[in-house]
Amino acid sequence: MATHALLEETTAGEIQGNSHFIRAVTEMADHSSVVTGQAIYTDKGLKLVDKGVRIDSRLYDRLVQHRLRDPIDAELIVENLVDANVLAEHARAKCESTVLMRRLVQASGGVDRLLQPLRAVQLTRQIAFKLTVMHQQRPELYFHGLQMTLVAIYLGQQSGWNEQDCTSAAVAGLLHDVGMLFVNPVWMHATYQLSDMERRHVAAHPITGMLVVRSAQIYPESVERAVLEHHEFMDGSGYPRGVRGESISPLGQVLMLAEVVSAFFDKYQDLPSQRLSLMLRMNHRRYPAHLVRWILPLLHDELTPGIPLLPLQEEVVHNVAALSAAFALWQTLREQLPEHWRLLPDGQPGVFVDERLAALRRQLADVGAEPGQHDDLMALMQSDLPSMTEFVLINREALWQLRSVVHACLHRWPQIGQTEHVIDRAVSAWCDACAPLQPSPEATGAV
């Protein structure tokens, strides 16, 4: 909780004059009319920009050099502002254009029922402005949030929530990633390597989002809390607080599942349903079972006859070798640690890696895919396309989980590579070796 309090304190001081948000606003103003409704002042009372002035990116340097008296979007008027009608129009288009949304519409009893809570959402001018910036400057965030909103509404409706609670689910879904407007978009590029400081800023975006929602002063506390919790997991392995189980609010649990459902369909063109079904079954302790049961029936078989087996077999060989090497390296490093190392006060990073790898081994054993069983399984699946495809996806998911262990270590113990403690050195060496691990070039990985 101390870490959470520190992050919240730091983030609260950065939102008002955040340079990344101001850059997004001024760059949007280069191609959309953005005008000051009131003059913009510094916190010292110095007027920076007069009322009625057209904003553009040339004002960026002036705006970021000073601490502003008020949030910048409190003073600006933009054309083509996102409102409830625009949200409903974009959501209806989503329902018609994507496989996942068509399935949700059918399962929920029609598009009008699914969209009804969205139409009831109230937007303050500043919230509408932020959604407009997101739509124009970060459309991937905007449409991900819109898709996630519809999944959240569906889960709420299937759970028997009333209209007011489903509207709260819609607000939380729309705004769950609003904190990403205050993060450098370059950091989100797939090839960008985050520094420790940058990683901490990204991990703080749920807190930033919660504070943005709180500042609107019209949404219930349940929405604030859910935005904060949308990257938590039922087993306590999420962030920013690492809470678990029933400590996560009902709406937070809905967002947690809606996030991963939407992300799979955003990211994958091939077999998103099969990938998601397998991931949810392999990670059943991370997600709320009472909600997962409403998603699994929507994930129909998607296999296309005629997929060649050879590339799948080659991918399995590559991925199993990577998994085996990661497990073997940790076992070697573990054997070099002092006796009773798990009981040492400074042993927490090592215990974390040890427990997560043991859990991954159990998951692989549960689905009959331990690395040691590889040869026997390959012999059995020589001409079995569905089984070979699932085996490929199992190993992709396992590789992603290995990388998630690495990222969690670097997030929780950012200085681990700079200490001389024997356990820290072992964990750091393992993380360094596993960080580059990727599925084979034929694979696209897992969320």
Side-chain angles (χ1 to χ4, degrees), residues 200-234:
R200 288 196 294 274
H201 277 285
V202 172
H205 82 267
I207 302 170
T208 309
M210 177 199 69
L211 295 172
V212 169
V213 171
R214 178 178 296 172
S215 70
Q217 298 183 340
I218 66 168
Y219 303 122
E221 188 275 338
S222 61
V223 174
E224 295 178 24
R225 184 173 171 185
V227 170
L228 175 66
E229 295 172 334
H230 75 272
H231 279 301
E232 303 288 359
F233 293 114
M234 301 299 284

PDB file of all heavy atoms in Angstrom, residues 200-234:
ATOM      1  N   ARG A 200       7.743   2.102 -14.948  1.00  0.00           N
ATOM      2  CA  ARG A 200       6.963   2.513 -13.776  1.00  0.00           C
ATOM      3  C   ARG A 200       5.871   3.509 -14.168  1.00  0.00           C
ATOM      4  O   ARG A 200       4.757   3.465 -13.627  1.00  0.00           O
ATOM      5  CB  ARG A 200       7.884   3.116 -12.710  1.00  0.00           C
ATOM      6  CG  ARG A 200       8.767   2.080 -12.019  1.00  0.00           C
ATOM      7  CD  ARG A 200       9.366   2.634 -10.740  1.00  0.00           C
ATOM      8  NE  ARG A 200      10.300   3.722 -10.977  1.00  0.00           N
ATOM      9  CZ  ARG A 200      11.592   3.549 -11.238  1.00  0.00           C
ATOM     10  NH1 ARG A 200      12.098   2.333 -11.311  1.00  0.00           N
ATOM     11  NH2 ARG A 200      12.388   4.591 -11.435  1.00  0.00           N
ATOM     12  N   HIS A 201       6.182   4.394 -15.104  1.00  0.00           N
ATOM     13  CA  HIS A 201       5.167   5.351 -15.566  1.00  0.00           C
ATOM     14  C   HIS A 201       4.016   4.626 -16.265  1.00  0.00           C
ATOM     15  O   HIS A 201       2.844   4.965 -16.057  1.00  0.00           O
ATOM     16  CB  HIS A 201       5.792   6.375 -16.514  1.00  0.00           C
ATOM     17  CG  HIS A 201       6.468   7.512 -15.811  1.00  0.00           C
ATOM     18  ND1 HIS A 201       5.775   8.527 -15.209  1.00  0.00           N
ATOM     19  CD2 HIS A 201       7.783   7.789 -15.603  1.00  0.00           C
ATOM     20  CE1 HIS A 201       6.610   9.379 -14.660  1.00  0.00           C
ATOM     21  NE2 HIS A 201       7.847   8.960 -14.886  1.00  0.00           N
ATOM     22  N   VAL A 202       4.327   3.658 -17.103  1.00  0.00           N
ATOM     23  CA  VAL A 202       3.280   2.899 -17.788  1.00  0.00           C
ATOM     24  C   VAL A 202       2.431   2.150 -16.765  1.00  0.00           C
ATOM     25  O   VAL A 202       1.197   2.126 -16.846  1.00  0.00           O
ATOM     26  CB  VAL A 202       3.892   1.924 -18.815  1.00  0.00           C
ATOM     27  CG1 VAL A 202       2.807   1.009 -19.383  1.00  0.00           C
ATOM     28  CG2 VAL A 202       4.574   2.698 -19.943  1.00  0.00           C
ATOM     29  N   ALA A 203       3.095   1.526 -15.780  1.00  0.00           N
ATOM     30  CA  ALA A 203       2.374   0.758 -14.763  1.00  0.00           C
ATOM     31  C   ALA A 203       1.494   1.647 -13.892  1.00  0.00           C
ATOM     32  O   ALA A 203       0.566   1.159 -13.244  1.00  0.00           O
ATOM     33  CB  ALA A 203       3.368  -0.010 -13.893  1.00  0.00           C
ATOM     34  N   ALA A 204       1.767   2.948 -13.880  1.00  0.00           N
ATOM     35  CA  ALA A 204       0.962   3.882 -13.074  1.00  0.00           C
ATOM     36  C   ALA A 204      -0.279   4.368 -13.811  1.00  0.00           C
ATOM     37  O   ALA A 204      -1.097   5.084 -13.217  1.00  0.00           O
ATOM     38  CB  ALA A 204       1.812   5.079 -12.645  1.00  0.00           C
ATOM     39  N   HIS A 205      -0.480   3.968 -15.084  1.00  0.00           N
ATOM     40  CA  HIS A 205      -1.604   4.554 -15.822  1.00  0.00           C
ATOM     41  C   HIS A 205      -2.975   4.225 -15.225  1.00  0.00           C
ATOM     42  O   HIS A 205      -3.901   5.039 -15.347  1.00  0.00           O
ATOM     43  CB  HIS A 205      -1.533   4.185 -17.316  1.00  0.00           C
ATOM     44  CG  HIS A 205      -2.080   2.852 -17.669  1.00  0.00           C
ATOM     45  ND1 HIS A 205      -1.307   1.711 -17.734  1.00  0.00           N
ATOM     46  CD2 HIS A 205      -3.343   2.441 -17.988  1.00  0.00           C
ATOM     47  CE1 HIS A 205      -2.050   0.685 -18.083  1.00  0.00           C
ATOM     48  NE2 HIS A 205      -3.282   1.093 -18.233  1.00  0.00           N
ATOM     49  N   PRO A 206      -3.178   3.078 -14.549  1.00  0.00           N
ATOM     50  CA  PRO A 206      -4.479   2.899 -13.894  1.00  0.00           C
ATOM     51  C   PRO A 206      -4.723   3.916 -12.785  1.00  0.00           C
ATOM     52  O   PRO A 206      -5.871   4.329 -12.550  1.00  0.00           O
ATOM     53  CB  PRO A 206      -4.397   1.471 -13.329  1.00  0.00           C
ATOM     54  CG  PRO A 206      -3.362   0.774 -14.161  1.00  0.00           C
ATOM     55  CD  PRO A 206      -2.357   1.839 -14.451  1.00  0.00           C
ATOM     56  N   ILE A 207      -3.664   4.324 -12.096  1.00  0.00           N
ATOM     57  CA  ILE A 207      -3.807   5.331 -11.041  1.00  0.00           C
ATOM     58  C   ILE A 207      -4.138   6.682 -11.660  1.00  0.00           C
ATOM     59  O   ILE A 207      -5.024   7.401 -11.194  1.00  0.00           O
ATOM     60  CB  ILE A 207      -2.527   5.409 -10.191  1.00  0.00           C
ATOM     61  CG1 ILE A 207      -2.215   4.049  -9.568  1.00  0.00           C
ATOM     62  CG2 ILE A 207      -2.661   6.462  -9.106  1.00  0.00           C
ATOM     63  CD1 ILE A 207      -0.861   3.958  -8.924  1.00  0.00           C
ATOM     64  N   THR A 208      -3.423   7.029 -12.730  1.00  0.00           N
ATOM     65  CA  THR A 208      -3.727   8.275 -13.437  1.00  0.00           C
ATOM     66  C   THR A 208      -5.170   8.280 -13.908  1.00  0.00           C
ATOM     67  O   THR A 208      -5.892   9.277 -13.740  1.00  0.00           O
ATOM     68  CB  THR A 208      -2.788   8.437 -14.646  1.00  0.00           C
ATOM     69  OG1 THR A 208      -1.437   8.258 -14.237  1.00  0.00           O
ATOM     70  CG2 THR A 208      -2.949   9.807 -15.276  1.00  0.00           C
ATOM     71  N   GLY A 209      -5.603   7.176 -14.489  1.00  0.00           N
ATOM     72  CA  GLY A 209      -6.984   7.082 -14.957  1.00  0.00           C
ATOM     73  C   GLY A 209      -7.984   7.246 -13.836  1.00  0.00           C
ATOM     74  O   GLY A 209      -9.012   7.934 -13.983  1.00  0.00           O
ATOM     75  N   MET A 210      -7.713   6.624 -12.691  1.00  0.00           N
ATOM     76  CA  MET A 210      -8.597   6.756 -11.539  1.00  0.00           C
ATOM     77  C   MET A 210      -8.718   8.220 -11.115  1.00  0.00           C
ATOM     78  O   MET A 210      -9.817   8.708 -10.818  1.00  0.00           O
ATOM     79  CB  MET A 210      -8.065   5.924 -10.374  1.00  0.00           C
ATOM     80  CG  MET A 210      -8.886   6.052  -9.097  1.00  0.00           C
ATOM     81  SD  MET A 210      -7.986   5.534  -7.630  1.00  0.00           S
ATOM     82  CE  MET A 210      -6.749   6.831  -7.495  1.00  0.00           C
ATOM     83  N   LEU A 211      -7.597   8.931 -11.109  1.00  0.00           N
ATOM     84  CA  LEU A 211      -7.613  10.332 -10.693  1.00  0.00           C
ATOM     85  C   LEU A 211      -8.363  11.209 -11.689  1.00  0.00           C
ATOM     86  O   LEU A 211      -9.038  12.173 -11.310  1.00  0.00           O
ATOM     87  CB  LEU A 211      -6.185  10.834 -10.503  1.00  0.00           C
ATOM     88  CG  LEU A 211      -5.405  10.157  -9.364  1.00  0.00           C
ATOM     89  CD1 LEU A 211      -3.941  10.593  -9.383  1.00  0.00           C
ATOM     90  CD2 LEU A 211      -6.031  10.475  -8.016  1.00  0.00           C
ATOM     91  N   VAL A 212      -8.263  10.884 -12.981  1.00  0.00           N
ATOM     92  CA  VAL A 212      -9.028  11.622 -13.993  1.00  0.00           C
ATOM     93  C   VAL A 212     -10.522  11.410 -13.770  1.00  0.00           C
ATOM     94  O   VAL A 212     -11.316  12.360 -13.805  1.00  0.00           O
ATOM     95  CB  VAL A 212      -8.619  11.177 -15.410  1.00  0.00           C
ATOM     96  CG1 VAL A 212      -9.592  11.736 -16.447  1.00  0.00           C
ATOM     97  CG2 VAL A 212      -7.196  11.631 -15.734  1.00  0.00           C
ATOM     98  N   VAL A 213     -10.919  10.161 -13.539  1.00  0.00           N
ATOM     99  CA  VAL A 213     -12.331   9.862 -13.284  1.00  0.00           C
ATOM    100  C   VAL A 213     -12.805  10.585 -12.027  1.00  0.00           C
ATOM    101  O   VAL A 213     -13.891  11.177 -11.997  1.00  0.00           O
ATOM    102  CB  VAL A 213     -12.544   8.338 -13.153  1.00  0.00           C
ATOM    103  CG1 VAL A 213     -13.962   8.028 -12.679  1.00  0.00           C
ATOM    104  CG2 VAL A 213     -12.270   7.647 -14.481  1.00  0.00           C
ATOM    105  N   ARG A 214     -11.982  10.561 -10.986  1.00  0.00           N
ATOM    106  CA  ARG A 214     -12.353  11.227  -9.728  1.00  0.00           C
ATOM    107  C   ARG A 214     -12.528  12.728  -9.940  1.00  0.00           C
ATOM    108  O   ARG A 214     -13.438  13.340  -9.375  1.00  0.00           O
ATOM    109  CB  ARG A 214     -11.282  10.953  -8.674  1.00  0.00           C
ATOM    110  CG  ARG A 214     -11.537  11.623  -7.334  1.00  0.00           C
ATOM    111  CD  ARG A 214     -10.458  11.261  -6.343  1.00  0.00           C
ATOM    112  NE  ARG A 214     -10.461   9.837  -6.038  1.00  0.00           N
ATOM    113  CZ  ARG A 214      -9.526   9.222  -5.315  1.00  0.00           C
ATOM    114  NH1 ARG A 214      -8.484   9.910  -4.857  1.00  0.00           N
ATOM    115  NH2 ARG A 214      -9.612   7.926  -5.073  1.00  0.00           N
ATOM    116  N   SER A 215     -11.677  13.321 -10.773  1.00  0.00           N
ATOM    117  CA  SER A 215     -11.739  14.770 -10.971  1.00  0.00           C
ATOM    118  C   SER A 215     -13.028  15.202 -11.668  1.00  0.00           C
ATOM    119  O   SER A 215     -13.436  16.365 -11.572  1.00  0.00           O
ATOM    120  CB  SER A 215     -10.527  15.241 -11.778  1.00  0.00           C
ATOM    121  OG  SER A 215     -10.607  14.791 -13.131  1.00  0.00           O
ATOM    122  N   ALA A 216     -13.685  14.279 -12.380  1.00  0.00           N
ATOM    123  CA  ALA A 216     -14.947  14.627 -13.050  1.00  0.00           C
ATOM    124  C   ALA A 216     -16.063  14.881 -12.056  1.00  0.00           C
ATOM    125  O   ALA A 216     -17.006  15.625 -12.336  1.00  0.00           O
ATOM    126  CB  ALA A 216     -15.353  13.512 -14.014  1.00  0.00           C
ATOM    127  N   GLN A 217     -15.995  14.239 -10.895  1.00  0.00           N
ATOM    128  CA  GLN A 217     -16.924  14.461  -9.783  1.00  0.00           C
ATOM    129  C   GLN A 217     -18.375  14.137 -10.121  1.00  0.00           C
ATOM    130  O   GLN A 217     -19.297  14.688  -9.507  1.00  0.00           O
ATOM    131  CB  GLN A 217     -16.812  15.902  -9.266  1.00  0.00           C
ATOM    132  CG  GLN A 217     -15.434  16.244  -8.722  1.00  0.00           C
ATOM    133  CD  GLN A 217     -15.355  17.648  -8.159  1.00  0.00           C
ATOM    134  OE1 GLN A 217     -16.172  18.506  -8.469  1.00  0.00           O
ATOM    135  NE2 GLN A 217     -14.366  17.887  -7.309  1.00  0.00           N
ATOM    136  N   ILE A 218     -18.616  13.257 -11.091  1.00  0.00           N
ATOM    137  CA  ILE A 218     -19.996  12.857 -11.388  1.00  0.00           C
ATOM    138  C   ILE A 218     -20.166  11.344 -11.416  1.00  0.00           C
ATOM    139  O   ILE A 218     -21.293  10.861 -11.524  1.00  0.00           O
ATOM    140  CB  ILE A 218     -20.492  13.448 -12.724  1.00  0.00           C
ATOM    141  CG1 ILE A 218     -19.712  12.857 -13.905  1.00  0.00           C
ATOM    142  CG2 ILE A 218     -20.442  14.963 -12.727  1.00  0.00           C
ATOM    143  CD1 ILE A 218     -20.355  13.171 -15.253  1.00  0.00           C
ATOM    144  N   TYR A 219     -19.059  10.602 -11.312  1.00  0.00           N
ATOM    145  CA  TYR A 219     -19.153   9.149 -11.426  1.00  0.00           C
ATOM    146  C   TYR A 219     -19.042   8.495 -10.053  1.00  0.00           C
ATOM    147  O   TYR A 219     -18.336   8.995  -9.170  1.00  0.00           O
ATOM    148  CB  TYR A 219     -18.057   8.622 -12.352  1.00  0.00           C
ATOM    149  CG  TYR A 219     -18.108   9.237 -13.730  1.00  0.00           C
ATOM    150  CD1 TYR A 219     -17.009   9.927 -14.252  1.00  0.00           C
ATOM    151  CD2 TYR A 219     -19.264   9.159 -14.504  1.00  0.00           C
ATOM    152  CE1 TYR A 219     -17.064  10.504 -15.510  1.00  0.00           C
ATOM    153  CE2 TYR A 219     -19.319   9.740 -15.765  1.00  0.00           C
ATOM    154  CZ  TYR A 219     -18.224  10.410 -16.267  1.00  0.00           C
ATOM    155  OH  TYR A 219     -18.289  10.994 -17.504  1.00  0.00           O
ATOM    156  N   PRO A 220     -19.716   7.353  -9.869  1.00  0.00           N
ATOM    157  CA  PRO A 220     -19.650   6.682  -8.569  1.00  0.00           C
ATOM    158  C   PRO A 220     -18.251   6.155  -8.265  1.00  0.00           C
ATOM    159  O   PRO A 220     -17.443   5.926  -9.173  1.00  0.00           O
ATOM    160  CB  PRO A 220     -20.659   5.534  -8.706  1.00  0.00           C
ATOM    161  CG  PRO A 220     -20.839   5.336 -10.164  1.00  0.00           C
ATOM    162  CD  PRO A 220     -20.619   6.670 -10.807  1.00  0.00           C
ATOM    163  N   GLU A 221     -17.986   5.956  -6.982  1.00  0.00           N
ATOM    164  CA  GLU A 221     -16.684   5.460  -6.545  1.00  0.00           C
ATOM    165  C   GLU A 221     -16.362   4.115  -7.178  1.00  0.00           C
ATOM    166  O   GLU A 221     -15.190   3.809  -7.421  1.00  0.00           O
ATOM    167  CB  GLU A 221     -16.657   5.363  -5.022  1.00  0.00           C
ATOM    168  CG  GLU A 221     -15.305   5.033  -4.417  1.00  0.00           C
ATOM    169  CD  GLU A 221     -15.024   3.534  -4.361  1.00  0.00           C
ATOM    170  OE1 GLU A 221     -15.997   2.749  -4.398  1.00  0.00           O
ATOM    171  OE2 GLU A 221     -13.837   3.157  -4.283  1.00  0.00           O
ATOM    172  N   SER A 222     -17.388   3.336  -7.485  1.00  0.00           N
ATOM    173  CA  SER A 222     -17.154   2.018  -8.088  1.00  0.00           C
ATOM    174  C   SER A 222     -16.450   2.140  -9.434  1.00  0.00           C
ATOM    175  O   SER A 222     -15.662   1.261  -9.813  1.00  0.00           O
ATOM    176  CB  SER A 222     -18.486   1.270  -8.268  1.00  0.00           C
ATOM    177  OG  SER A 222     -19.357   1.992  -9.140  1.00  0.00           O
ATOM    178  N   VAL A 223     -16.705   3.222 -10.183  1.00  0.00           N
ATOM    179  CA  VAL A 223     -16.048   3.436 -11.476  1.00  0.00           C
ATOM    180  C   VAL A 223     -14.580   3.783 -11.260  1.00  0.00           C
ATOM    181  O   VAL A 223     -13.691   3.243 -11.938  1.00  0.00           O
ATOM    182  CB  VAL A 223     -16.771   4.533 -12.276  1.00  0.00           C
ATOM    183  CG1 VAL A 223     -16.001   4.858 -13.557  1.00  0.00           C
ATOM    184  CG2 VAL A 223     -18.184   4.083 -12.623  1.00  0.00           C
ATOM    185  N   GLU A 224     -14.309   4.698 -10.316  1.00  0.00           N
ATOM    186  CA  GLU A 224     -12.919   5.024  -9.991  1.00  0.00           C
ATOM    187  C   GLU A 224     -12.139   3.759  -9.647  1.00  0.00           C
ATOM    188  O   GLU A 224     -11.033   3.536 -10.149  1.00  0.00           O
ATOM    189  CB  GLU A 224     -12.860   5.962  -8.776  1.00  0.00           C
ATOM    190  CG  GLU A 224     -13.456   7.329  -8.969  1.00  0.00           C
ATOM    191  CD  GLU A 224     -13.372   8.120  -7.663  1.00  0.00           C
ATOM    192  OE1 GLU A 224     -12.495   7.811  -6.824  1.00  0.00           O
ATOM    193  OE2 GLU A 224     -14.187   9.041  -7.473  1.00  0.00           O
ATOM    194  N   ARG A 225     -12.713   2.970  -8.762  1.00  0.00           N
ATOM    195  CA  ARG A 225     -12.003   1.788  -8.278  1.00  0.00           C
ATOM    196  C   ARG A 225     -11.770   0.783  -9.402  1.00  0.00           C
ATOM    197  O   ARG A 225     -10.700   0.184  -9.504  1.00  0.00           O
ATOM    198  CB  ARG A 225     -12.796   1.147  -7.142  1.00  0.00           C
ATOM    199  CG  ARG A 225     -12.099  -0.040  -6.507  1.00  0.00           C
ATOM    200  CD  ARG A 225     -12.845  -0.525  -5.289  1.00  0.00           C
ATOM    201  NE  ARG A 225     -12.296  -1.787  -4.815  1.00  0.00           N
ATOM    202  CZ  ARG A 225     -12.810  -2.498  -3.827  1.00  0.00           C
ATOM    203  NH1 ARG A 225     -13.900  -2.065  -3.202  1.00  0.00           N
ATOM    204  NH2 ARG A 225     -12.261  -3.642  -3.470  1.00  0.00           N
ATOM    205  N   ALA A 226     -12.766   0.593 -10.255  1.00  0.00           N
ATOM    206  CA  ALA A 226     -12.617  -0.366 -11.356  1.00  0.00           C
ATOM    207  C   ALA A 226     -11.524   0.063 -12.330  1.00  0.00           C
ATOM    208  O   ALA A 226     -10.751  -0.768 -12.820  1.00  0.00           O
ATOM    209  CB  ALA A 226     -13.947  -0.529 -12.083  1.00  0.00           C
ATOM    210  N   VAL A 227     -11.456   1.362 -12.635  1.00  0.00           N
ATOM    211  CA  VAL A 227     -10.392   1.862 -13.510  1.00  0.00           C
ATOM    212  C   VAL A 227      -9.027   1.581 -12.889  1.00  0.00           C
ATOM    213  O   VAL A 227      -8.082   1.173 -13.579  1.00  0.00           O
ATOM    214  CB  VAL A 227     -10.584   3.370 -13.784  1.00  0.00           C
ATOM    215  CG1 VAL A 227      -9.361   3.967 -14.476  1.00  0.00           C
ATOM    216  CG2 VAL A 227     -11.827   3.587 -14.644  1.00  0.00           C
ATOM    217  N   LEU A 228      -8.926   1.772 -11.577  1.00  0.00           N
ATOM    218  CA  LEU A 228      -7.678   1.461 -10.878  1.00  0.00           C
ATOM    219  C   LEU A 228      -7.336  -0.022 -10.972  1.00  0.00           C
ATOM    220  O   LEU A 228      -6.164  -0.391 -11.062  1.00  0.00           O
ATOM    221  CB  LEU A 228      -7.806   1.868  -9.408  1.00  0.00           C
ATOM    222  CG  LEU A 228      -6.646   1.516  -8.481  1.00  0.00           C
ATOM    223  CD1 LEU A 228      -5.392   2.302  -8.875  1.00  0.00           C
ATOM    224  CD2 LEU A 228      -7.013   1.793  -7.034  1.00  0.00           C
ATOM    225  N   GLU A 229      -8.355  -0.893 -11.011  1.00  0.00           N
ATOM    226  CA  GLU A 229      -8.141  -2.335 -10.879  1.00  0.00           C
ATOM    227  C   GLU A 229      -8.092  -3.090 -12.202  1.00  0.00           C
ATOM    228  O   GLU A 229      -7.947  -4.315 -12.199  1.00  0.00           O
ATOM    229  CB  GLU A 229      -9.266  -2.936 -10.023  1.00  0.00           C
ATOM    230  CG  GLU A 229      -9.277  -2.459  -8.588  1.00  0.00           C
ATOM    231  CD  GLU A 229     -10.514  -2.908  -7.825  1.00  0.00           C
ATOM    232  OE1 GLU A 229     -11.569  -3.144  -8.455  1.00  0.00           O
ATOM    233  OE2 GLU A 229     -10.434  -3.016  -6.588  1.00  0.00           O
ATOM    234  N   HIS A 230      -8.186  -2.423 -13.334  1.00  0.00           N
ATOM    235  CA  HIS A 230      -8.409  -3.170 -14.573  1.00  0.00           C
ATOM    236  C   HIS A 230      -7.219  -4.022 -15.007  1.00  0.00           C
ATOM    237  O   HIS A 230      -7.364  -4.877 -15.885  1.00  0.00           O
ATOM    238  CB  HIS A 230      -8.872  -2.247 -15.711  1.00  0.00           C
ATOM    239  CG  HIS A 230      -7.806  -1.386 -16.320  1.00  0.00           C
ATOM    240  ND1 HIS A 230      -7.467  -0.136 -15.830  1.00  0.00           N
ATOM    241  CD2 HIS A 230      -7.007  -1.575 -17.410  1.00  0.00           C
ATOM    242  CE1 HIS A 230      -6.523   0.402 -16.580  1.00  0.00           C
ATOM    243  NE2 HIS A 230      -6.216  -0.452 -17.554  1.00  0.00           N
ATOM    244  N   HIS A 231      -6.044  -3.837 -14.395  1.00  0.00           N
ATOM    245  CA  HIS A 231      -4.900  -4.714 -14.670  1.00  0.00           C
ATOM    246  C   HIS A 231      -4.560  -5.619 -13.480  1.00  0.00           C
ATOM    247  O   HIS A 231      -3.479  -6.216 -13.460  1.00  0.00           O
ATOM    248  CB  HIS A 231      -3.672  -3.891 -15.060  1.00  0.00           C
ATOM    249  CG  HIS A 231      -3.670  -3.454 -16.496  1.00  0.00           C
ATOM    250  ND1 HIS A 231      -3.722  -4.334 -17.562  1.00  0.00           N
ATOM    251  CD2 HIS A 231      -3.644  -2.209 -17.049  1.00  0.00           C
ATOM    252  CE1 HIS A 231      -3.708  -3.661 -18.693  1.00  0.00           C
ATOM    253  NE2 HIS A 231      -3.672  -2.370 -18.415  1.00  0.00           N
ATOM    254  N   GLU A 232      -5.449  -5.720 -12.504  1.00  0.00           N
ATOM    255  CA  GLU A 232      -5.255  -6.684 -11.423  1.00  0.00           C
ATOM    256  C   GLU A 232      -5.719  -8.066 -11.894  1.00  0.00           C
ATOM    257  O   GLU A 232      -6.420  -8.192 -12.895  1.00  0.00           O
ATOM    258  CB  GLU A 232      -6.045  -6.259 -10.177  1.00  0.00           C
ATOM    259  CG  GLU A 232      -5.709  -4.875  -9.644  1.00  0.00           C
ATOM    260  CD  GLU A 232      -4.338  -4.795  -8.973  1.00  0.00           C
ATOM    261  OE1 GLU A 232      -3.635  -5.830  -8.903  1.00  0.00           O
ATOM    262  OE2 GLU A 232      -3.971  -3.687  -8.540  1.00  0.00           O
ATOM    263  N   PHE A 233      -5.313  -9.104 -11.141  1.00  0.00           N
ATOM    264  CA  PHE A 233      -5.747 -10.472 -11.430  1.00  0.00           C
ATOM    265  C   PHE A 233      -6.183 -11.157 -10.149  1.00  0.00           C
ATOM    266  O   PHE A 233      -5.733 -10.806  -9.052  1.00  0.00           O
ATOM    267  CB  PHE A 233      -4.628 -11.277 -12.099  1.00  0.00           C
ATOM    268  CG  PHE A 233      -4.269 -10.799 -13.478  1.00  0.00           C
ATOM    269  CD1 PHE A 233      -3.025 -10.251 -13.736  1.00  0.00           C
ATOM    270  CD2 PHE A 233      -5.186 -10.877 -14.509  1.00  0.00           C
ATOM    271  CE1 PHE A 233      -2.697  -9.787 -14.994  1.00  0.00           C
ATOM    272  CE2 PHE A 233      -4.866 -10.414 -15.785  1.00  0.00           C
ATOM    273  CZ  PHE A 233      -3.626  -9.871 -16.030  1.00  0.00           C
ATOM    274  N   MET A 234      -7.039 -12.146 -10.300  1.00  0.00           N
ATOM    275  CA  MET A 234      -7.597 -12.820  -9.129  1.00  0.00           C
ATOM    276  C   MET A 234      -6.535 -13.503  -8.278  1.00  0.00           C
ATOM    277  O   MET A 234      -6.722 -13.694  -7.079  1.00  0.00           O
ATOM    278  CB  MET A 234      -8.656 -13.843  -9.565  1.00  0.00           C
ATOM    279  CG  MET A 234      -9.826 -13.259 -10.337  1.00  0.00           C
ATOM    280  SD  MET A 234     -10.777 -12.034  -9.405  1.00  0.00           S
ATOM    281  CE  MET A 234     -11.698 -13.107  -8.304  1.00  0.00           C
TER     282      MET A 234
END
